PDB file of all heavy atoms in Angstrom:
ATOM      1  N   ILE A  23     -51.919 185.909 151.986  1.00  0.00           N
ATOM      2  CA  ILE A  23     -52.326 184.531 151.702  1.00  0.00           C
ATOM      3  C   ILE A  23     -53.836 184.396 151.813  1.00  0.00           C
ATOM      4  O   ILE A  23     -54.490 183.768 150.973  1.00  0.00           O
ATOM      5  CB  ILE A  23     -51.608 183.560 152.660  1.00  0.00           C
ATOM      6  CG1 ILE A  23     -50.135 183.426 152.257  1.00  0.00           C
ATOM      7  CG2 ILE A  23     -52.279 182.188 152.657  1.00  0.00           C
ATOM      8  CD1 ILE A  23     -49.294 182.654 153.263  1.00  0.00           C
ATOM      9  N   VAL A  24     -54.417 184.985 152.856  1.00  0.00           N
ATOM     10  CA  VAL A  24     -55.872 184.938 153.029  1.00  0.00           C
ATOM     11  C   VAL A  24     -56.576 185.566 151.826  1.00  0.00           C
ATOM     12  O   VAL A  24     -57.547 185.013 151.285  1.00  0.00           O
ATOM     13  CB  VAL A  24     -56.277 185.646 154.333  1.00  0.00           C
ATOM     14  CG1 VAL A  24     -57.789 185.839 154.400  1.00  0.00           C
ATOM     15  CG2 VAL A  24     -55.789 184.851 155.540  1.00  0.00           C
ATOM     16  N   LEU A  25     -56.079 186.722 151.374  1.00  0.00           N
ATOM     17  CA  LEU A  25     -56.706 187.400 150.236  1.00  0.00           C
ATOM     18  C   LEU A  25     -56.548 186.592 148.949  1.00  0.00           C
ATOM     19  O   LEU A  25     -57.473 186.510 148.134  1.00  0.00           O
ATOM     20  CB  LEU A  25     -56.101 188.794 150.077  1.00  0.00           C
ATOM     21  CG  LEU A  25     -56.328 189.763 151.246  1.00  0.00           C
ATOM     22  CD1 LEU A  25     -55.585 191.070 151.012  1.00  0.00           C
ATOM     23  CD2 LEU A  25     -57.808 190.027 151.455  1.00  0.00           C
ATOM     24  N   VAL A  26     -55.376 185.982 148.755  1.00  0.00           N
ATOM     25  CA  VAL A  26     -55.145 185.177 147.553  1.00  0.00           C
ATOM     26  C   VAL A  26     -56.045 183.945 147.547  1.00  0.00           C
ATOM     27  O   VAL A  26     -56.620 183.577 146.510  1.00  0.00           O
ATOM     28  CB  VAL A  26     -53.659 184.780 147.447  1.00  0.00           C
ATOM     29  CG1 VAL A  26     -53.467 183.713 146.386  1.00  0.00           C
ATOM     30  CG2 VAL A  26     -52.813 186.008 147.126  1.00  0.00           C
ATOM     31  N   LEU A  27     -56.188 183.300 148.690  1.00  0.00           N
ATOM     32  CA  LEU A  27     -57.081 182.132 148.766  1.00  0.00           C
ATOM     33  C   LEU A  27     -58.522 182.532 148.471  1.00  0.00           C
ATOM     34  O   LEU A  27     -59.266 181.776 147.826  1.00  0.00           O
ATOM     35  CB  LEU A  27     -56.978 181.482 150.148  1.00  0.00           C
ATOM     36  CG  LEU A  27     -55.681 180.739 150.447  1.00  0.00           C
ATOM     37  CD1 LEU A  27     -55.650 180.282 151.898  1.00  0.00           C
ATOM     38  CD2 LEU A  27     -55.504 179.546 149.507  1.00  0.00           C
ATOM     39  N   ALA A  28     -58.937 183.707 148.935  1.00  0.00           N
ATOM     40  CA  ALA A  28     -60.287 184.183 148.628  1.00  0.00           C
ATOM     41  C   ALA A  28     -60.456 184.404 147.131  1.00  0.00           C
ATOM     42  O   ALA A  28     -61.505 184.096 146.560  1.00  0.00           O
ATOM     43  CB  ALA A  28     -60.579 185.471 149.396  1.00  0.00           C
ATOM     44  N   LYS A  29     -59.409 184.936 146.497  1.00  0.00           N
ATOM     45  CA  LYS A  29     -59.473 185.169 145.046  1.00  0.00           C
ATOM     46  C   LYS A  29     -59.497 183.850 144.287  1.00  0.00           C
ATOM     47  O   LYS A  29     -60.307 183.660 143.359  1.00  0.00           O
ATOM     48  CB  LYS A  29     -58.266 185.995 144.621  1.00  0.00           C
ATOM     49  CG  LYS A  29     -58.100 186.152 143.113  1.00  0.00           C
ATOM     50  CD  LYS A  29     -59.261 186.939 142.492  1.00  0.00           C
ATOM     51  CE  LYS A  29     -59.018 187.248 141.019  1.00  0.00           C
ATOM     52  NZ  LYS A  29     -59.076 186.067 140.158  1.00  0.00           N
ATOM     53  N   LYS A  30     -58.623 182.899 144.654  1.00  0.00           N
ATOM     54  CA  LYS A  30     -58.497 181.655 143.895  1.00  0.00           C
ATOM     55  C   LYS A  30     -59.638 180.679 144.171  1.00  0.00           C
ATOM     56  O   LYS A  30     -60.171 180.058 143.248  1.00  0.00           O
ATOM     57  CB  LYS A  30     -57.153 180.986 144.208  1.00  0.00           C
ATOM     58  CG  LYS A  30     -55.944 181.720 143.639  1.00  0.00           C
ATOM     59  CD  LYS A  30     -54.669 180.940 143.925  1.00  0.00           C
ATOM     60  CE  LYS A  30     -53.459 181.571 143.253  1.00  0.00           C
ATOM     61  NZ  LYS A  30     -52.215 180.799 143.527  1.00  0.00           N
ATOM     62  N   ASN A  31     -60.005 180.526 145.439  1.00  0.00           N
ATOM     63  CA  ASN A  31     -60.980 179.498 145.817  1.00  0.00           C
ATOM     64  C   ASN A  31     -62.388 180.029 146.017  1.00  0.00           C
ATOM     65  O   ASN A  31     -63.344 179.252 146.049  1.00  0.00           O
ATOM     66  CB  ASN A  31     -60.548 178.801 147.118  1.00  0.00           C
ATOM     67  CG  ASN A  31     -59.201 178.132 147.010  1.00  0.00           C
ATOM     68  OD1 ASN A  31     -58.667 177.977 145.916  1.00  0.00           O
ATOM     69  ND2 ASN A  31     -58.644 177.730 148.135  1.00  0.00           N
ATOM     70  N   GLY A  32     -62.517 181.354 146.174  1.00  0.00           N
ATOM     71  CA  GLY A  32     -63.804 181.897 146.557  1.00  0.00           C
ATOM     72  C   GLY A  32     -64.118 181.527 148.001  1.00  0.00           C
ATOM     73  O   GLY A  32     -63.283 180.972 148.723  1.00  0.00           O
ATOM     74  N   ILE A  33     -65.344 181.846 148.429  1.00  0.00           N
ATOM     75  CA  ILE A  33     -65.779 181.512 149.786  1.00  0.00           C
ATOM     76  C   ILE A  33     -67.121 180.788 149.672  1.00  0.00           C
ATOM     77  O   ILE A  33     -68.191 181.396 149.850  1.00  0.00           O
ATOM     78  CB  ILE A  33     -65.908 182.777 150.664  1.00  0.00           C
ATOM     79  CG1 ILE A  33     -64.619 183.597 150.631  1.00  0.00           C
ATOM     80  CG2 ILE A  33     -66.244 182.395 152.118  1.00  0.00           C
ATOM     81  CD1 ILE A  33     -64.698 184.899 151.402  1.00  0.00           C
ATOM     82  N   PRO A  34     -67.096 179.490 149.345  1.00  0.00           N
ATOM     83  CA  PRO A  34     -68.364 178.760 149.237  1.00  0.00           C
ATOM     84  C   PRO A  34     -69.146 178.780 150.539  1.00  0.00           C
ATOM     85  O   PRO A  34     -70.359 178.947 150.552  1.00  0.00           O
ATOM     86  CB  PRO A  34     -67.922 177.348 148.848  1.00  0.00           C
ATOM     87  CG  PRO A  34     -66.467 177.258 149.212  1.00  0.00           C
ATOM     88  CD  PRO A  34     -65.927 178.630 149.069  1.00  0.00           C
ATOM     89  N   THR A  35     -68.440 178.577 151.665  1.00  0.00           N
ATOM     90  CA  THR A  35     -68.974 178.804 153.010  1.00  0.00           C
ATOM     91  C   THR A  35     -67.821 179.307 153.855  1.00  0.00           C
ATOM     92  O   THR A  35     -66.647 179.071 153.523  1.00  0.00           O
ATOM     93  CB  THR A  35     -69.535 177.515 153.654  1.00  0.00           C
ATOM     94  OG1 THR A  35     -68.461 176.594 153.887  1.00  0.00           O
ATOM     95  CG2 THR A  35     -70.583 176.857 152.769  1.00  0.00           C
ATOM     96  N   ILE A  36     -68.129 179.992 154.957  1.00  0.00           N
ATOM     97  CA  ILE A  36     -67.034 180.478 155.800  1.00  0.00           C
ATOM     98  C   ILE A  36     -66.304 179.314 156.445  1.00  0.00           C
ATOM     99  O   ILE A  36     -65.094 179.394 156.692  1.00  0.00           O
ATOM    100  CB  ILE A  36     -67.537 181.476 156.854  1.00  0.00           C
ATOM    101  CG1 ILE A  36     -68.579 180.856 157.794  1.00  0.00           C
ATOM    102  CG2 ILE A  36     -68.082 182.736 156.193  1.00  0.00           C
ATOM    103  CD1 ILE A  36     -68.935 181.752 158.983  1.00  0.00           C
ATOM    104  N   GLU A  37     -67.017 178.202 156.689  1.00  0.00           N
ATOM    105  CA  GLU A  37     -66.362 177.033 157.262  1.00  0.00           C
ATOM    106  C   GLU A  37     -65.337 176.452 156.296  1.00  0.00           C
ATOM    107  O   GLU A  37     -64.210 176.141 156.682  1.00  0.00           O
ATOM    108  CB  GLU A  37     -67.401 175.961 157.627  1.00  0.00           C
ATOM    109  CG  GLU A  37     -68.310 176.314 158.782  1.00  0.00           C
ATOM    110  CD  GLU A  37     -69.543 177.093 158.369  1.00  0.00           C
ATOM    111  OE1 GLU A  37     -69.645 177.497 157.191  1.00  0.00           O
ATOM    112  OE2 GLU A  37     -70.419 177.309 159.219  1.00  0.00           O
ATOM    113  N   GLN A  38     -65.714 176.322 155.030  1.00  0.00           N
ATOM    114  CA  GLN A  38     -64.793 175.786 154.039  1.00  0.00           C
ATOM    115  C   GLN A  38     -63.608 176.718 153.839  1.00  0.00           C
ATOM    116  O   GLN A  38     -62.466 176.270 153.632  1.00  0.00           O
ATOM    117  CB  GLN A  38     -65.514 175.555 152.708  1.00  0.00           C
ATOM    118  CG  GLN A  38     -64.649 174.868 151.652  1.00  0.00           C
ATOM    119  CD  GLN A  38     -64.136 173.515 152.106  1.00  0.00           C
ATOM    120  OE1 GLN A  38     -64.913 172.648 152.505  1.00  0.00           O
ATOM    121  NE2 GLN A  38     -62.821 173.318 152.062  1.00  0.00           N
ATOM    122  N   PHE A  39     -63.846 178.022 153.897  1.00  0.00           N
ATOM    123  CA  PHE A  39     -62.766 178.989 153.746  1.00  0.00           C
ATOM    124  C   PHE A  39     -61.770 178.862 154.905  1.00  0.00           C
ATOM    125  O   PHE A  39     -60.549 178.891 154.701  1.00  0.00           O
ATOM    126  CB  PHE A  39     -63.336 180.400 153.670  1.00  0.00           C
ATOM    127  CG  PHE A  39     -62.316 181.456 153.330  1.00  0.00           C
ATOM    128  CD1 PHE A  39     -61.495 181.321 152.223  1.00  0.00           C
ATOM    129  CD2 PHE A  39     -62.183 182.595 154.109  1.00  0.00           C
ATOM    130  CE1 PHE A  39     -60.553 182.290 151.893  1.00  0.00           C
ATOM    131  CE2 PHE A  39     -61.262 183.569 153.800  1.00  0.00           C
ATOM    132  CZ  PHE A  39     -60.435 183.421 152.694  1.00  0.00           C
ATOM    133  N   ALA A  40     -62.285 178.695 156.135  1.00  0.00           N
ATOM    134  CA  ALA A  40     -61.398 178.505 157.290  1.00  0.00           C
ATOM    135  C   ALA A  40     -60.574 177.231 157.138  1.00  0.00           C
ATOM    136  O   ALA A  40     -59.378 177.209 157.452  1.00  0.00           O
ATOM    137  CB  ALA A  40     -62.220 178.466 158.578  1.00  0.00           C
ATOM    138  N   ILE A  41     -61.196 176.175 156.637  1.00  0.00           N
ATOM    139  CA  ILE A  41     -60.480 174.917 156.384  1.00  0.00           C
ATOM    140  C   ILE A  41     -59.388 175.118 155.342  1.00  0.00           C
ATOM    141  O   ILE A  41     -58.261 174.650 155.491  1.00  0.00           O
ATOM    142  CB  ILE A  41     -61.470 173.826 155.936  1.00  0.00           C
ATOM    143  CG1 ILE A  41     -62.389 173.430 157.102  1.00  0.00           C
ATOM    144  CG2 ILE A  41     -60.740 172.600 155.405  1.00  0.00           C
ATOM    145  CD1 ILE A  41     -63.549 172.546 156.696  1.00  0.00           C
ATOM    146  N   ASP A  42     -59.720 175.846 154.259  1.00  0.00           N
ATOM    147  CA  ASP A  42     -58.734 176.113 153.204  1.00  0.00           C
ATOM    148  C   ASP A  42     -57.515 176.850 153.755  1.00  0.00           C
ATOM    149  O   ASP A  42     -56.374 176.549 153.386  1.00  0.00           O
ATOM    150  CB  ASP A  42     -59.375 176.943 152.081  1.00  0.00           C
ATOM    151  CG  ASP A  42     -60.396 176.160 151.278  1.00  0.00           C
ATOM    152  OD1 ASP A  42     -60.439 174.919 151.399  1.00  0.00           O
ATOM    153  OD2 ASP A  42     -61.170 176.794 150.526  1.00  0.00           O
ATOM    154  N   ILE A  43     -57.746 177.826 154.633  1.00  0.00           N
ATOM    155  CA  ILE A  43     -56.647 178.595 155.203  1.00  0.00           C
ATOM    156  C   ILE A  43     -55.759 177.692 156.064  1.00  0.00           C
ATOM    157  O   ILE A  43     -54.524 177.705 155.944  1.00  0.00           O
ATOM    158  CB  ILE A  43     -57.194 179.782 156.027  1.00  0.00           C
ATOM    159  CG1 ILE A  43     -57.906 180.784 155.117  1.00  0.00           C
ATOM    160  CG2 ILE A  43     -56.051 180.470 156.784  1.00  0.00           C
ATOM    161  CD1 ILE A  43     -58.669 181.863 155.858  1.00  0.00           C
ATOM    162  N   CYS A  44     -56.388 176.900 156.929  1.00  0.00           N
ATOM    163  CA  CYS A  44     -55.604 175.999 157.785  1.00  0.00           C
ATOM    164  C   CYS A  44     -54.776 175.027 156.955  1.00  0.00           C
ATOM    165  O   CYS A  44     -53.583 174.822 157.214  1.00  0.00           O
ATOM    166  CB  CYS A  44     -56.538 175.226 158.714  1.00  0.00           C
ATOM    167  SG  CYS A  44     -57.158 176.176 160.112  1.00  0.00           S
ATOM    168  N   LYS A  45     -55.394 174.422 155.948  1.00  0.00           N
ATOM    169  CA  LYS A  45     -54.691 173.449 155.117  1.00  0.00           C
ATOM    170  C   LYS A  45     -53.531 174.091 154.367  1.00  0.00           C
ATOM    171  O   LYS A  45     -52.471 173.471 154.198  1.00  0.00           O
ATOM    172  CB  LYS A  45     -55.671 172.790 154.151  1.00  0.00           C
ATOM    173  CG  LYS A  45     -56.612 171.793 154.819  1.00  0.00           C
ATOM    174  CD  LYS A  45     -57.492 171.077 153.804  1.00  0.00           C
ATOM    175  CE  LYS A  45     -58.325 169.990 154.470  1.00  0.00           C
ATOM    176  NZ  LYS A  45     -59.200 169.292 153.499  1.00  0.00           N
ATOM    177  N   HIS A  46     -53.724 175.328 153.911  1.00  0.00           N
ATOM    178  CA  HIS A  46     -52.651 175.997 153.179  1.00  0.00           C
ATOM    179  C   HIS A  46     -51.420 176.177 154.060  1.00  0.00           C
ATOM    180  O   HIS A  46     -50.289 175.857 153.643  1.00  0.00           O
ATOM    181  CB  HIS A  46     -53.121 177.360 152.669  1.00  0.00           C
ATOM    182  CG  HIS A  46     -52.059 178.108 151.931  1.00  0.00           C
ATOM    183  ND1 HIS A  46     -51.821 177.935 150.590  1.00  0.00           N
ATOM    184  CD2 HIS A  46     -51.128 179.013 152.361  1.00  0.00           C
ATOM    185  CE1 HIS A  46     -50.808 178.705 150.216  1.00  0.00           C
ATOM    186  NE2 HIS A  46     -50.376 179.373 151.280  1.00  0.00           N
ATOM    187  N   PHE A  47     -51.593 176.668 155.283  1.00  0.00           N
ATOM    188  CA  PHE A  47     -50.439 176.895 156.150  1.00  0.00           C
ATOM    189  C   PHE A  47     -49.781 175.581 156.558  1.00  0.00           C
ATOM    190  O   PHE A  47     -48.554 175.494 156.645  1.00  0.00           O
ATOM    191  CB  PHE A  47     -50.864 177.700 157.388  1.00  0.00           C
ATOM    192  CG  PHE A  47     -51.004 179.174 157.116  1.00  0.00           C
ATOM    193  CD1 PHE A  47     -52.255 179.742 156.931  1.00  0.00           C
ATOM    194  CD2 PHE A  47     -49.884 179.979 157.024  1.00  0.00           C
ATOM    195  CE1 PHE A  47     -52.381 181.100 156.670  1.00  0.00           C
ATOM    196  CE2 PHE A  47     -49.989 181.337 156.764  1.00  0.00           C
ATOM    197  CZ  PHE A  47     -51.255 181.896 156.578  1.00  0.00           C
ATOM    198  N   MET A  48     -50.590 174.548 156.777  1.00  0.00           N
ATOM    199  CA  MET A  48     -50.028 173.257 157.175  1.00  0.00           C
ATOM    200  C   MET A  48     -49.253 172.584 156.048  1.00  0.00           C
ATOM    201  O   MET A  48     -48.223 171.951 156.271  1.00  0.00           O
ATOM    202  CB  MET A  48     -51.147 172.317 157.659  1.00  0.00           C
ATOM    203  CG  MET A  48     -51.470 172.455 159.123  1.00  0.00           C
ATOM    204  SD  MET A  48     -50.047 172.012 160.153  1.00  0.00           S
ATOM    205  CE  MET A  48     -50.649 172.501 161.749  1.00  0.00           C
ATOM    206  N   THR A  49     -49.736 172.700 154.847  1.00  0.00           N
ATOM    207  CA  THR A  49     -49.097 172.010 153.722  1.00  0.00           C
ATOM    208  C   THR A  49     -47.985 172.827 153.078  1.00  0.00           C
ATOM    209  O   THR A  49     -47.139 172.262 152.380  1.00  0.00           O
ATOM    210  CB  THR A  49     -50.141 171.655 152.653  1.00  0.00           C
ATOM    211  OG1 THR A  49     -50.812 172.848 152.210  1.00  0.00           O
ATOM    212  CG2 THR A  49     -51.174 170.681 153.199  1.00  0.00           C
ATOM    213  N   THR A  50     -47.951 174.135 153.303  1.00  0.00           N
ATOM    214  CA  THR A  50     -46.970 174.998 152.641  1.00  0.00           C
ATOM    215  C   THR A  50     -45.742 175.264 153.494  1.00  0.00           C
ATOM    216  O   THR A  50     -44.629 175.377 152.980  1.00  0.00           O
ATOM    217  CB  THR A  50     -47.626 176.345 152.252  1.00  0.00           C
ATOM    218  OG1 THR A  50     -48.795 176.090 151.466  1.00  0.00           O
ATOM    219  CG2 THR A  50     -46.661 177.212 151.457  1.00  0.00           C
ATOM    220  N   PHE A  51     -45.920 175.343 154.809  1.00  0.00           N
ATOM    221  CA  PHE A  51     -44.827 175.766 155.696  1.00  0.00           C
ATOM    222  C   PHE A  51     -44.533 174.652 156.702  1.00  0.00           C
ATOM    223  O   PHE A  51     -45.336 174.375 157.597  1.00  0.00           O
ATOM    224  CB  PHE A  51     -45.208 177.048 156.438  1.00  0.00           C
ATOM    225  CG  PHE A  51     -45.570 178.189 155.530  1.00  0.00           C
ATOM    226  CD1 PHE A  51     -46.902 178.506 155.296  1.00  0.00           C
ATOM    227  CD2 PHE A  51     -44.593 178.940 154.908  1.00  0.00           C
ATOM    228  CE1 PHE A  51     -47.254 179.561 154.467  1.00  0.00           C
ATOM    229  CE2 PHE A  51     -44.919 179.994 154.069  1.00  0.00           C
ATOM    230  CZ  PHE A  51     -46.253 180.310 153.840  1.00  0.00           C
ATOM    231  N   CYS A  52     -43.374 174.044 156.577  1.00  0.00           N
ATOM    232  CA  CYS A  52     -43.014 172.933 157.469  1.00  0.00           C
ATOM    233  C   CYS A  52     -42.739 173.409 158.892  1.00  0.00           C
ATOM    234  O   CYS A  52     -42.738 172.611 159.835  1.00  0.00           O
ATOM    235  CB  CYS A  52     -41.809 172.173 156.919  1.00  0.00           C
ATOM    236  SG  CYS A  52     -40.311 173.173 156.767  1.00  0.00           S
ATOM    237  N   GLN A  53     -42.488 174.715 159.087  1.00  0.00           N
ATOM    238  CA  GLN A  53     -42.204 175.228 160.431  1.00  0.00           C
ATOM    239  C   GLN A  53     -43.469 175.529 161.232  1.00  0.00           C
ATOM    240  O   GLN A  53     -43.393 175.894 162.408  1.00  0.00           O
ATOM    241  CB  GLN A  53     -41.340 176.496 160.359  1.00  0.00           C
ATOM    242  CG  GLN A  53     -42.030 177.738 159.802  1.00  0.00           C
ATOM    243  CD  GLN A  53     -41.803 177.901 158.318  1.00  0.00           C
ATOM    244  OE1 GLN A  53     -41.894 176.938 157.573  1.00  0.00           O
ATOM    245  NE2 GLN A  53     -41.499 179.112 157.896  1.00  0.00           N
ATOM    246  N   VAL A  54     -44.644 175.354 160.631  1.00  0.00           N
ATOM    247  CA  VAL A  54     -45.908 175.615 161.334  1.00  0.00           C
ATOM    248  C   VAL A  54     -46.320 174.365 162.104  1.00  0.00           C
ATOM    249  O   VAL A  54     -46.513 173.303 161.522  1.00  0.00           O
ATOM    250  CB  VAL A  54     -47.019 176.036 160.355  1.00  0.00           C
ATOM    251  CG1 VAL A  54     -48.367 176.111 161.068  1.00  0.00           C
ATOM    252  CG2 VAL A  54     -46.677 177.390 159.726  1.00  0.00           C
ATOM    253  N   ALA A  55     -46.447 174.504 163.434  1.00  0.00           N
ATOM    254  CA  ALA A  55     -46.865 173.379 164.278  1.00  0.00           C
ATOM    255  C   ALA A  55     -48.353 173.405 164.564  1.00  0.00           C
ATOM    256  O   ALA A  55     -48.953 172.363 164.860  1.00  0.00           O
ATOM    257  CB  ALA A  55     -46.100 173.406 165.596  1.00  0.00           C
ATOM    258  N   TYR A  56     -48.952 174.587 164.492  1.00  0.00           N
ATOM    259  CA  TYR A  56     -50.370 174.738 164.841  1.00  0.00           C
ATOM    260  C   TYR A  56     -50.914 175.967 164.136  1.00  0.00           C
ATOM    261  O   TYR A  56     -50.231 176.997 164.035  1.00  0.00           O
ATOM    262  CB  TYR A  56     -50.508 174.885 166.358  1.00  0.00           C
ATOM    263  CG  TYR A  56     -51.879 175.302 166.835  1.00  0.00           C
ATOM    264  CD1 TYR A  56     -52.899 174.374 167.020  1.00  0.00           C
ATOM    265  CD2 TYR A  56     -52.156 176.640 167.130  1.00  0.00           C
ATOM    266  CE1 TYR A  56     -54.156 174.756 167.479  1.00  0.00           C
ATOM    267  CE2 TYR A  56     -53.407 177.038 167.589  1.00  0.00           C
ATOM    268  CZ  TYR A  56     -54.412 176.095 167.759  1.00  0.00           C
ATOM    269  OH  TYR A  56     -55.647 176.481 168.206  1.00  0.00           O
ATOM    270  N   VAL A  57     -52.133 175.853 163.644  1.00  0.00           N
ATOM    271  CA  VAL A  57     -52.789 176.996 163.011  1.00  0.00           C
ATOM    272  C   VAL A  57     -54.230 177.058 163.485  1.00  0.00           C
ATOM    273  O   VAL A  57     -54.899 176.028 163.647  1.00  0.00           O
ATOM    274  CB  VAL A  57     -52.717 176.907 161.464  1.00  0.00           C
ATOM    275  CG1 VAL A  57     -53.337 175.616 160.951  1.00  0.00           C
ATOM    276  CG2 VAL A  57     -53.406 178.108 160.819  1.00  0.00           C
ATOM    277  N   LYS A  58     -54.672 178.264 163.735  1.00  0.00           N
ATOM    278  CA  LYS A  58     -56.063 178.501 164.118  1.00  0.00           C
ATOM    279  C   LYS A  58     -56.600 179.670 163.319  1.00  0.00           C
ATOM    280  O   LYS A  58     -55.956 180.724 163.235  1.00  0.00           O
ATOM    281  CB  LYS A  58     -56.181 178.798 165.614  1.00  0.00           C
ATOM    282  CG  LYS A  58     -57.607 179.029 166.085  1.00  0.00           C
ATOM    283  CD  LYS A  58     -57.666 179.221 167.602  1.00  0.00           C
ATOM    284  CE  LYS A  58     -59.095 179.396 168.084  1.00  0.00           C
ATOM    285  NZ  LYS A  58     -59.155 179.552 169.570  1.00  0.00           N
ATOM    286  N   THR A  59     -57.770 179.492 162.721  1.00  0.00           N
ATOM    287  CA  THR A  59     -58.371 180.524 161.891  1.00  0.00           C
ATOM    288  C   THR A  59     -59.799 180.788 162.344  1.00  0.00           C
ATOM    289  O   THR A  59     -60.588 179.850 162.523  1.00  0.00           O
ATOM    290  CB  THR A  59     -58.374 180.113 160.413  1.00  0.00           C
ATOM    291  OG1 THR A  59     -57.031 179.947 159.969  1.00  0.00           O
ATOM    292  CG2 THR A  59     -59.039 181.174 159.554  1.00  0.00           C
ATOM    293  N   TYR A  60     -60.102 182.059 162.519  1.00  0.00           N
ATOM    294  CA  TYR A  60     -61.455 182.498 162.885  1.00  0.00           C
ATOM    295  C   TYR A  60     -62.006 183.315 161.725  1.00  0.00           C
ATOM    296  O   TYR A  60     -61.332 184.195 161.187  1.00  0.00           O
ATOM    297  CB  TYR A  60     -61.408 183.354 164.151  1.00  0.00           C
ATOM    298  CG  TYR A  60     -62.715 184.030 164.512  1.00  0.00           C
ATOM    299  CD1 TYR A  60     -63.645 183.390 165.319  1.00  0.00           C
ATOM    300  CD2 TYR A  60     -63.013 185.304 164.044  1.00  0.00           C
ATOM    301  CE1 TYR A  60     -64.848 184.004 165.646  1.00  0.00           C
ATOM    302  CE2 TYR A  60     -64.207 185.928 164.371  1.00  0.00           C
ATOM    303  CZ  TYR A  60     -65.115 185.267 165.178  1.00  0.00           C
ATOM    304  OH  TYR A  60     -66.308 185.881 165.491  1.00  0.00           O
ATOM    305  N   VAL A  61     -63.240 183.023 161.335  1.00  0.00           N
ATOM    306  CA  VAL A  61     -63.895 183.763 160.247  1.00  0.00           C
ATOM    307  C   VAL A  61     -65.306 184.128 160.700  1.00  0.00           C
ATOM    308  O   VAL A  61     -66.051 183.265 161.183  1.00  0.00           O
ATOM    309  CB  VAL A  61     -63.988 182.934 158.951  1.00  0.00           C
ATOM    310  CG1 VAL A  61     -64.562 183.787 157.816  1.00  0.00           C
ATOM    311  CG2 VAL A  61     -62.633 182.375 158.555  1.00  0.00           C
TER     312      VAL A  61
END
């Protein structure tokens, strides 16, 4: 998922990329209660 998001969205900034990853897991998987991403 991380690699696909990098391909589709690029990495405009590492902060935005971390936000994109968090949002993807929260909006895609209803069983996720918490997500943390370090870049």
Side-chain angles (χ1 to χ4, degrees):
I23 286 171
V24 169
L25 297 175
V26 168
L27 289 174
K29 172 64 173 70
K30 290 183 174 180
N31 301 348
I33 307 176
T35 66
I36 60 171
E37 291 87 352
Q38 186 59 54
F39 188 52
I41 291 170
D42 290 346
I43 294 171
C44 283
K45 287 185 174 179
H46 179 86
F47 281 101
M48 273 297 172
T49 57
T50 306
F51 303 101
C52 61
Q53 70 266 44
V54 172
Y56 169 84
V57 57
K58 181 176 182 179
T59 298
Y60 172 89
V61 185

